PDB file of all heavy atoms in Angstrom:
ATOM      1  N   ARG Y 148      53.221 -92.541 -62.673  1.00  0.00           N
ATOM      2  CA  ARG Y 148      53.043 -91.784 -61.431  1.00  0.00           C
ATOM      3  C   ARG Y 148      54.355 -91.735 -60.646  1.00  0.00           C
ATOM      4  O   ARG Y 148      54.709 -90.697 -60.085  1.00  0.00           O
ATOM      5  CB  ARG Y 148      51.935 -92.400 -60.572  1.00  0.00           C
ATOM      6  CG  ARG Y 148      51.670 -91.609 -59.300  1.00  0.00           C
ATOM      7  CD  ARG Y 148      50.572 -92.221 -58.452  1.00  0.00           C
ATOM      8  NE  ARG Y 148      49.268 -92.064 -59.065  1.00  0.00           N
ATOM      9  CZ  ARG Y 148      48.137 -92.440 -58.475  1.00  0.00           C
ATOM     10  NH1 ARG Y 148      48.162 -92.997 -57.285  1.00  0.00           N
ATOM     11  NH2 ARG Y 148      46.981 -92.279 -59.082  1.00  0.00           N
ATOM     12  N   ALA Y 149      55.083 -92.844 -60.636  1.00  0.00           N
ATOM     13  CA  ALA Y 149      56.371 -92.876 -59.940  1.00  0.00           C
ATOM     14  C   ALA Y 149      57.331 -91.857 -60.550  1.00  0.00           C
ATOM     15  O   ALA Y 149      58.043 -91.142 -59.832  1.00  0.00           O
ATOM     16  CB  ALA Y 149      56.974 -94.280 -60.005  1.00  0.00           C
ATOM     17  N   LYS Y 150      57.347 -91.763 -61.883  1.00  0.00           N
ATOM     18  CA  LYS Y 150      58.206 -90.773 -62.559  1.00  0.00           C
ATOM     19  C   LYS Y 150      57.777 -89.349 -62.210  1.00  0.00           C
ATOM     20  O   LYS Y 150      58.608 -88.473 -61.957  1.00  0.00           O
ATOM     21  CB  LYS Y 150      58.152 -90.970 -64.075  1.00  0.00           C
ATOM     22  CG  LYS Y 150      58.849 -92.229 -64.569  1.00  0.00           C
ATOM     23  CD  LYS Y 150      58.725 -92.333 -66.082  1.00  0.00           C
ATOM     24  CE  LYS Y 150      59.339 -93.637 -66.587  1.00  0.00           C
ATOM     25  NZ  LYS Y 150      59.148 -93.797 -68.051  1.00  0.00           N
ATOM     26  N   ALA Y 151      56.462 -89.114 -62.191  1.00  0.00           N
ATOM     27  CA  ALA Y 151      55.945 -87.781 -61.885  1.00  0.00           C
ATOM     28  C   ALA Y 151      56.301 -87.361 -60.458  1.00  0.00           C
ATOM     29  O   ALA Y 151      56.726 -86.227 -60.211  1.00  0.00           O
ATOM     30  CB  ALA Y 151      54.429 -87.749 -62.082  1.00  0.00           C
ATOM     31  N   PHE Y 152      56.148 -88.301 -59.530  1.00  0.00           N
ATOM     32  CA  PHE Y 152      56.496 -87.989 -58.148  1.00  0.00           C
ATOM     33  C   PHE Y 152      57.999 -87.799 -57.984  1.00  0.00           C
ATOM     34  O   PHE Y 152      58.446 -87.032 -57.130  1.00  0.00           O
ATOM     35  CB  PHE Y 152      55.979 -89.074 -57.201  1.00  0.00           C
ATOM     36  CG  PHE Y 152      54.558 -88.863 -56.771  1.00  0.00           C
ATOM     37  CD1 PHE Y 152      53.522 -89.535 -57.402  1.00  0.00           C
ATOM     38  CD2 PHE Y 152      54.236 -87.980 -55.757  1.00  0.00           C
ATOM     39  CE1 PHE Y 152      52.203 -89.335 -57.032  1.00  0.00           C
ATOM     40  CE2 PHE Y 152      52.925 -87.768 -55.370  1.00  0.00           C
ATOM     41  CZ  PHE Y 152      51.898 -88.443 -56.003  1.00  0.00           C
ATOM     42  N   ALA Y 153      58.794 -88.509 -58.795  1.00  0.00           N
ATOM     43  CA  ALA Y 153      60.247 -88.323 -58.743  1.00  0.00           C
ATOM     44  C   ALA Y 153      60.626 -86.910 -59.185  1.00  0.00           C
ATOM     45  O   ALA Y 153      61.492 -86.267 -58.578  1.00  0.00           O
ATOM     46  CB  ALA Y 153      60.937 -89.363 -59.621  1.00  0.00           C
ATOM     47  N   VAL Y 154      59.968 -86.425 -60.245  1.00  0.00           N
ATOM     48  CA  VAL Y 154      60.208 -85.050 -60.701  1.00  0.00           C
ATOM     49  C   VAL Y 154      59.797 -84.060 -59.614  1.00  0.00           C
ATOM     50  O   VAL Y 154      60.536 -83.122 -59.289  1.00  0.00           O
ATOM     51  CB  VAL Y 154      59.424 -84.762 -62.009  1.00  0.00           C
ATOM     52  CG1 VAL Y 154      59.493 -83.285 -62.370  1.00  0.00           C
ATOM     53  CG2 VAL Y 154      59.969 -85.615 -63.148  1.00  0.00           C
ATOM     54  N   TYR Y 155      58.635 -84.295 -59.048  1.00  0.00           N
ATOM     55  CA  TYR Y 155      58.111 -83.412 -57.989  1.00  0.00           C
ATOM     56  C   TYR Y 155      59.069 -83.404 -56.792  1.00  0.00           C
ATOM     57  O   TYR Y 155      59.380 -82.355 -56.221  1.00  0.00           O
ATOM     58  CB  TYR Y 155      56.729 -83.913 -57.571  1.00  0.00           C
ATOM     59  CG  TYR Y 155      55.938 -82.965 -56.711  1.00  0.00           C
ATOM     60  CD1 TYR Y 155      55.182 -81.942 -57.285  1.00  0.00           C
ATOM     61  CD2 TYR Y 155      55.900 -83.094 -55.328  1.00  0.00           C
ATOM     62  CE1 TYR Y 155      54.420 -81.083 -56.509  1.00  0.00           C
ATOM     63  CE2 TYR Y 155      55.153 -82.237 -54.533  1.00  0.00           C
ATOM     64  CZ  TYR Y 155      54.408 -81.242 -55.139  1.00  0.00           C
ATOM     65  OH  TYR Y 155      53.667 -80.389 -54.356  1.00  0.00           O
ATOM     66  N   GLY Y 156      59.549 -84.602 -56.409  1.00  0.00           N
ATOM     67  CA  GLY Y 156      60.476 -84.702 -55.285  1.00  0.00           C
ATOM     68  C   GLY Y 156      61.811 -84.050 -55.576  1.00  0.00           C
ATOM     69  O   GLY Y 156      62.421 -83.433 -54.701  1.00  0.00           O
ATOM     70  N   ALA Y 157      62.289 -84.175 -56.818  1.00  0.00           N
ATOM     71  CA  ALA Y 157      63.559 -83.553 -57.190  1.00  0.00           C
ATOM     72  C   ALA Y 157      63.464 -82.032 -57.116  1.00  0.00           C
ATOM     73  O   ALA Y 157      64.405 -81.356 -56.680  1.00  0.00           O
ATOM     74  CB  ALA Y 157      63.952 -83.981 -58.601  1.00  0.00           C
ATOM     75  N   ILE Y 158      62.311 -81.497 -57.518  1.00  0.00           N
ATOM     76  CA  ILE Y 158      62.094 -80.044 -57.413  1.00  0.00           C
ATOM     77  C   ILE Y 158      62.123 -79.635 -55.942  1.00  0.00           C
ATOM     78  O   ILE Y 158      62.734 -78.630 -55.565  1.00  0.00           O
ATOM     79  CB  ILE Y 158      60.738 -79.649 -58.044  1.00  0.00           C
ATOM     80  CG1 ILE Y 158      60.771 -79.857 -59.559  1.00  0.00           C
ATOM     81  CG2 ILE Y 158      60.381 -78.214 -57.706  1.00  0.00           C
ATOM     82  CD1 ILE Y 158      61.614 -78.874 -60.315  1.00  0.00           C
ATOM     83  N   ALA Y 159      61.461 -80.421 -55.100  1.00  0.00           N
ATOM     84  CA  ALA Y 159      61.414 -80.104 -53.667  1.00  0.00           C
ATOM     85  C   ALA Y 159      62.816 -80.143 -53.052  1.00  0.00           C
ATOM     86  O   ALA Y 159      63.164 -79.298 -52.229  1.00  0.00           O
ATOM     87  CB  ALA Y 159      60.498 -81.093 -52.945  1.00  0.00           C
ATOM     88  N   GLY Y 160      63.633 -81.129 -53.480  1.00  0.00           N
ATOM     89  CA  GLY Y 160      64.979 -81.239 -52.924  1.00  0.00           C
ATOM     90  C   GLY Y 160      65.944 -80.218 -53.500  1.00  0.00           C
ATOM     91  O   GLY Y 160      66.694 -79.575 -52.778  1.00  0.00           O
ATOM     92  N   GLY Y 161      65.915 -80.077 -54.826  1.00  0.00           N
ATOM     93  CA  GLY Y 161      66.850 -79.164 -55.475  1.00  0.00           C
ATOM     94  C   GLY Y 161      66.447 -77.713 -55.401  1.00  0.00           C
ATOM     95  O   GLY Y 161      67.287 -76.816 -55.527  1.00  0.00           O
ATOM     96  N   GLY Y 162      65.152 -77.458 -55.204  1.00  0.00           N
ATOM     97  CA  GLY Y 162      64.669 -76.072 -55.164  1.00  0.00           C
ATOM     98  C   GLY Y 162      65.281 -75.264 -54.047  1.00  0.00           C
ATOM     99  O   GLY Y 162      65.517 -74.063 -54.189  1.00  0.00           O
ATOM    100  N   SER Y 163      65.563 -75.916 -52.926  1.00  0.00           N
ATOM    101  CA  SER Y 163      66.162 -75.193 -51.803  1.00  0.00           C
ATOM    102  C   SER Y 163      67.548 -74.692 -52.181  1.00  0.00           C
ATOM    103  O   SER Y 163      67.944 -73.582 -51.810  1.00  0.00           O
ATOM    104  CB  SER Y 163      66.235 -76.097 -50.572  1.00  0.00           C
ATOM    105  OG  SER Y 163      66.996 -77.253 -50.843  1.00  0.00           O
ATOM    106  N   ALA Y 164      68.298 -75.507 -52.943  1.00  0.00           N
ATOM    107  CA  ALA Y 164      69.625 -75.084 -53.389  1.00  0.00           C
ATOM    108  C   ALA Y 164      69.523 -73.901 -54.349  1.00  0.00           C
ATOM    109  O   ALA Y 164      70.280 -72.927 -54.250  1.00  0.00           O
ATOM    110  CB  ALA Y 164      70.336 -76.253 -54.064  1.00  0.00           C
ATOM    111  N   VAL Y 165      68.561 -73.983 -55.282  1.00  0.00           N
ATOM    112  CA  VAL Y 165      68.343 -72.874 -56.217  1.00  0.00           C
ATOM    113  C   VAL Y 165      67.993 -71.599 -55.441  1.00  0.00           C
ATOM    114  O   VAL Y 165      68.476 -70.507 -55.765  1.00  0.00           O
ATOM    115  CB  VAL Y 165      67.218 -73.216 -57.218  1.00  0.00           C
ATOM    116  CG1 VAL Y 165      66.915 -72.031 -58.120  1.00  0.00           C
ATOM    117  CG2 VAL Y 165      67.600 -74.430 -58.042  1.00  0.00           C
ATOM    118  N   GLY Y 166      67.176 -71.754 -54.396  1.00  0.00           N
ATOM    119  CA  GLY Y 166      66.774 -70.600 -53.591  1.00  0.00           C
ATOM    120  C   GLY Y 166      67.950 -69.922 -52.913  1.00  0.00           C
ATOM    121  O   GLY Y 166      68.029 -68.688 -52.850  1.00  0.00           O
ATOM    122  N   LEU Y 167      68.890 -70.725 -52.409  1.00  0.00           N
ATOM    123  CA  LEU Y 167      70.061 -70.163 -51.735  1.00  0.00           C
ATOM    124  C   LEU Y 167      70.900 -69.322 -52.701  1.00  0.00           C
ATOM    125  O   LEU Y 167      71.327 -68.213 -52.373  1.00  0.00           O
ATOM    126  CB  LEU Y 167      70.912 -71.291 -51.148  1.00  0.00           C
ATOM    127  CG  LEU Y 167      70.294 -72.044 -49.962  1.00  0.00           C
ATOM    128  CD1 LEU Y 167      71.085 -73.313 -49.672  1.00  0.00           C
ATOM    129  CD2 LEU Y 167      70.219 -71.161 -48.728  1.00  0.00           C
ATOM    130  N   VAL Y 168      71.127 -69.858 -53.907  1.00  0.00           N
ATOM    131  CA  VAL Y 168      71.954 -69.141 -54.878  1.00  0.00           C
ATOM    132  C   VAL Y 168      71.206 -67.942 -55.443  1.00  0.00           C
ATOM    133  O   VAL Y 168      71.748 -66.834 -55.528  1.00  0.00           O
ATOM    134  CB  VAL Y 168      72.390 -70.091 -56.005  1.00  0.00           C
ATOM    135  CG1 VAL Y 168      73.194 -69.341 -57.063  1.00  0.00           C
ATOM    136  CG2 VAL Y 168      73.213 -71.244 -55.441  1.00  0.00           C
ATOM    137  N   LEU Y 169      69.936 -68.155 -55.834  1.00  0.00           N
ATOM    138  CA  LEU Y 169      69.148 -67.060 -56.406  1.00  0.00           C
ATOM    139  C   LEU Y 169      68.954 -65.940 -55.385  1.00  0.00           C
ATOM    140  O   LEU Y 169      69.024 -64.753 -55.723  1.00  0.00           O
ATOM    141  CB  LEU Y 169      67.787 -67.592 -56.880  1.00  0.00           C
ATOM    142  CG  LEU Y 169      66.878 -66.595 -57.596  1.00  0.00           C
ATOM    143  CD1 LEU Y 169      67.536 -66.052 -58.853  1.00  0.00           C
ATOM    144  CD2 LEU Y 169      65.538 -67.253 -57.950  1.00  0.00           C
ATOM    145  N   GLY Y 170      68.724 -66.315 -54.117  1.00  0.00           N
ATOM    146  CA  GLY Y 170      68.587 -65.307 -53.072  1.00  0.00           C
ATOM    147  C   GLY Y 170      69.842 -64.477 -52.938  1.00  0.00           C
ATOM    148  O   GLY Y 170      69.785 -63.243 -52.779  1.00  0.00           O
ATOM    149  N   GLY Y 171      71.003 -65.124 -53.030  1.00  0.00           N
ATOM    150  CA  GLY Y 171      72.266 -64.387 -52.959  1.00  0.00           C
ATOM    151  C   GLY Y 171      72.441 -63.443 -54.129  1.00  0.00           C
ATOM    152  O   GLY Y 171      72.822 -62.272 -53.957  1.00  0.00           O
ATOM    153  N   VAL Y 172      72.139 -63.922 -55.338  1.00  0.00           N
ATOM    154  CA  VAL Y 172      72.299 -63.092 -56.541  1.00  0.00           C
ATOM    155  C   VAL Y 172      71.364 -61.888 -56.500  1.00  0.00           C
ATOM    156  O   VAL Y 172      71.779 -60.742 -56.744  1.00  0.00           O
ATOM    157  CB  VAL Y 172      72.037 -63.939 -57.807  1.00  0.00           C
ATOM    158  CG1 VAL Y 172      71.950 -63.044 -59.043  1.00  0.00           C
ATOM    159  CG2 VAL Y 172      73.127 -64.984 -57.981  1.00  0.00           C
ATOM    160  N   LEU Y 173      70.094 -62.129 -56.182  1.00  0.00           N
ATOM    161  CA  LEU Y 173      69.120 -61.025 -56.161  1.00  0.00           C
ATOM    162  C   LEU Y 173      69.446 -60.014 -55.075  1.00  0.00           C
ATOM    163  O   LEU Y 173      69.339 -58.797 -55.283  1.00  0.00           O
ATOM    164  CB  LEU Y 173      67.704 -61.582 -55.953  1.00  0.00           C
ATOM    165  CG  LEU Y 173      67.113 -62.362 -57.133  1.00  0.00           C
ATOM    166  CD1 LEU Y 173      65.781 -63.002 -56.739  1.00  0.00           C
ATOM    167  CD2 LEU Y 173      66.912 -61.450 -58.338  1.00  0.00           C
ATOM    168  N   THR Y 174      69.845 -60.489 -53.896  1.00  0.00           N
ATOM    169  CA  THR Y 174      70.156 -59.578 -52.795  1.00  0.00           C
ATOM    170  C   THR Y 174      71.386 -58.731 -53.110  1.00  0.00           C
ATOM    171  O   THR Y 174      71.420 -57.528 -52.835  1.00  0.00           O
ATOM    172  CB  THR Y 174      70.386 -60.367 -51.487  1.00  0.00           C
ATOM    173  OG1 THR Y 174      69.213 -61.130 -51.202  1.00  0.00           O
ATOM    174  CG2 THR Y 174      70.660 -59.442 -50.323  1.00  0.00           C
ATOM    175  N   GLU Y 175      72.394 -59.370 -53.709  1.00  0.00           N
ATOM    176  CA  GLU Y 175      73.657 -58.665 -53.957  1.00  0.00           C
ATOM    177  C   GLU Y 175      73.585 -57.730 -55.158  1.00  0.00           C
ATOM    178  O   GLU Y 175      74.094 -56.605 -55.117  1.00  0.00           O
ATOM    179  CB  GLU Y 175      74.776 -59.680 -54.155  1.00  0.00           C
ATOM    180  CG  GLU Y 175      76.146 -59.038 -54.247  1.00  0.00           C
ATOM    181  CD  GLU Y 175      77.276 -60.052 -54.116  1.00  0.00           C
ATOM    182  OE1 GLU Y 175      77.030 -61.144 -53.560  1.00  0.00           O
ATOM    183  OE2 GLU Y 175      78.387 -59.745 -54.564  1.00  0.00           O
ATOM    184  N   TYR Y 176      72.938 -58.180 -56.233  1.00  0.00           N
ATOM    185  CA  TYR Y 176      72.979 -57.404 -57.475  1.00  0.00           C
ATOM    186  C   TYR Y 176      71.703 -56.621 -57.755  1.00  0.00           C
ATOM    187  O   TYR Y 176      71.685 -55.774 -58.653  1.00  0.00           O
ATOM    188  CB  TYR Y 176      73.289 -58.337 -58.653  1.00  0.00           C
ATOM    189  CG  TYR Y 176      74.653 -58.962 -58.538  1.00  0.00           C
ATOM    190  CD1 TYR Y 176      74.799 -60.321 -58.295  1.00  0.00           C
ATOM    191  CD2 TYR Y 176      75.807 -58.183 -58.641  1.00  0.00           C
ATOM    192  CE1 TYR Y 176      76.061 -60.902 -58.172  1.00  0.00           C
ATOM    193  CE2 TYR Y 176      77.075 -58.740 -58.511  1.00  0.00           C
ATOM    194  CZ  TYR Y 176      77.192 -60.102 -58.282  1.00  0.00           C
ATOM    195  OH  TYR Y 176      78.435 -60.653 -58.149  1.00  0.00           O
ATOM    196  N   ALA Y 177      70.643 -56.875 -57.030  1.00  0.00           N
ATOM    197  CA  ALA Y 177      69.409 -56.079 -57.180  1.00  0.00           C
ATOM    198  C   ALA Y 177      69.059 -55.495 -55.813  1.00  0.00           C
ATOM    199  O   ALA Y 177      69.575 -54.446 -55.424  1.00  0.00           O
ATOM    200  CB  ALA Y 177      68.281 -56.940 -57.730  1.00  0.00           C
ATOM    201  N   ASN Y 178      68.208 -56.202 -55.056  1.00  0.00           N
ATOM    202  CA  ASN Y 178      67.785 -55.731 -53.735  1.00  0.00           C
ATOM    203  C   ASN Y 178      67.111 -56.904 -53.049  1.00  0.00           C
ATOM    204  O   ASN Y 178      66.534 -57.778 -53.712  1.00  0.00           O
ATOM    205  CB  ASN Y 178      66.795 -54.559 -53.904  1.00  0.00           C
ATOM    206  CG  ASN Y 178      66.443 -53.903 -52.586  1.00  0.00           C
ATOM    207  OD1 ASN Y 178      65.675 -54.453 -51.798  1.00  0.00           O
ATOM    208  ND2 ASN Y 178      67.008 -52.729 -52.334  1.00  0.00           N
ATOM    209  N   TRP Y 179      67.161 -56.933 -51.717  1.00  0.00           N
ATOM    210  CA  TRP Y 179      66.530 -58.046 -51.004  1.00  0.00           C
ATOM    211  C   TRP Y 179      65.055 -58.178 -51.340  1.00  0.00           C
ATOM    212  O   TRP Y 179      64.490 -59.278 -51.290  1.00  0.00           O
ATOM    213  CB  TRP Y 179      66.700 -57.875 -49.484  1.00  0.00           C
ATOM    214  CG  TRP Y 179      65.921 -56.724 -48.882  1.00  0.00           C
ATOM    215  CD1 TRP Y 179      66.382 -55.464 -48.654  1.00  0.00           C
ATOM    216  CD2 TRP Y 179      64.554 -56.740 -48.449  1.00  0.00           C
ATOM    217  NE1 TRP Y 179      65.387 -54.686 -48.095  1.00  0.00           N
ATOM    218  CE2 TRP Y 179      64.258 -55.442 -47.958  1.00  0.00           C
ATOM    219  CE3 TRP Y 179      63.555 -57.707 -48.418  1.00  0.00           C
ATOM    220  CZ2 TRP Y 179      63.005 -55.095 -47.451  1.00  0.00           C
ATOM    221  CZ3 TRP Y 179      62.301 -57.356 -47.919  1.00  0.00           C
ATOM    222  CH2 TRP Y 179      62.039 -56.072 -47.443  1.00  0.00           C
ATOM    223  N   ARG Y 180      64.412 -57.074 -51.719  1.00  0.00           N
ATOM    224  CA  ARG Y 180      62.975 -57.106 -52.018  1.00  0.00           C
ATOM    225  C   ARG Y 180      62.662 -58.025 -53.209  1.00  0.00           C
ATOM    226  O   ARG Y 180      61.576 -58.605 -53.282  1.00  0.00           O
ATOM    227  CB  ARG Y 180      62.464 -55.689 -52.308  1.00  0.00           C
ATOM    228  CG  ARG Y 180      62.590 -54.754 -51.102  1.00  0.00           C
ATOM    229  CD  ARG Y 180      62.118 -53.342 -51.424  1.00  0.00           C
ATOM    230  NE  ARG Y 180      62.285 -52.454 -50.283  1.00  0.00           N
ATOM    231  CZ  ARG Y 180      61.438 -52.379 -49.253  1.00  0.00           C
ATOM    232  NH1 ARG Y 180      60.352 -53.138 -49.249  1.00  0.00           N
ATOM    233  NH2 ARG Y 180      61.665 -51.542 -48.252  1.00  0.00           N
ATOM    234  N   TRP Y 181      63.623 -58.163 -54.126  1.00  0.00           N
ATOM    235  CA  TRP Y 181      63.389 -59.007 -55.300  1.00  0.00           C
ATOM    236  C   TRP Y 181      63.325 -60.487 -54.951  1.00  0.00           C
ATOM    237  O   TRP Y 181      62.842 -61.297 -55.751  1.00  0.00           O
ATOM    238  CB  TRP Y 181      64.453 -58.742 -56.364  1.00  0.00           C
ATOM    239  CG  TRP Y 181      64.085 -57.537 -57.174  1.00  0.00           C
ATOM    240  CD1 TRP Y 181      64.588 -56.278 -57.065  1.00  0.00           C
ATOM    241  CD2 TRP Y 181      63.071 -57.483 -58.185  1.00  0.00           C
ATOM    242  NE1 TRP Y 181      63.959 -55.426 -57.942  1.00  0.00           N
ATOM    243  CE2 TRP Y 181      63.027 -56.144 -58.645  1.00  0.00           C
ATOM    244  CE3 TRP Y 181      62.202 -58.417 -58.750  1.00  0.00           C
ATOM    245  CZ2 TRP Y 181      62.143 -55.741 -59.642  1.00  0.00           C
ATOM    246  CZ3 TRP Y 181      61.333 -58.010 -59.740  1.00  0.00           C
ATOM    247  CH2 TRP Y 181      61.305 -56.686 -60.178  1.00  0.00           C
TER     248      TRP Y 181
END
Side-chain angles (χ1 to χ4, degrees):
R148 183 180 289 184
K150 289 179 184 176
F152 274 98
V154 171
Y155 192 84
I158 292 288
S163 59
V165 176
L167 291 168
V168 177
L169 184 60
V172 170
L173 290 173
T174 302
E175 187 167 338
Y176 296 111
N178 187 285
W179 69 266
R180 297 178 182 279
W181 277 102

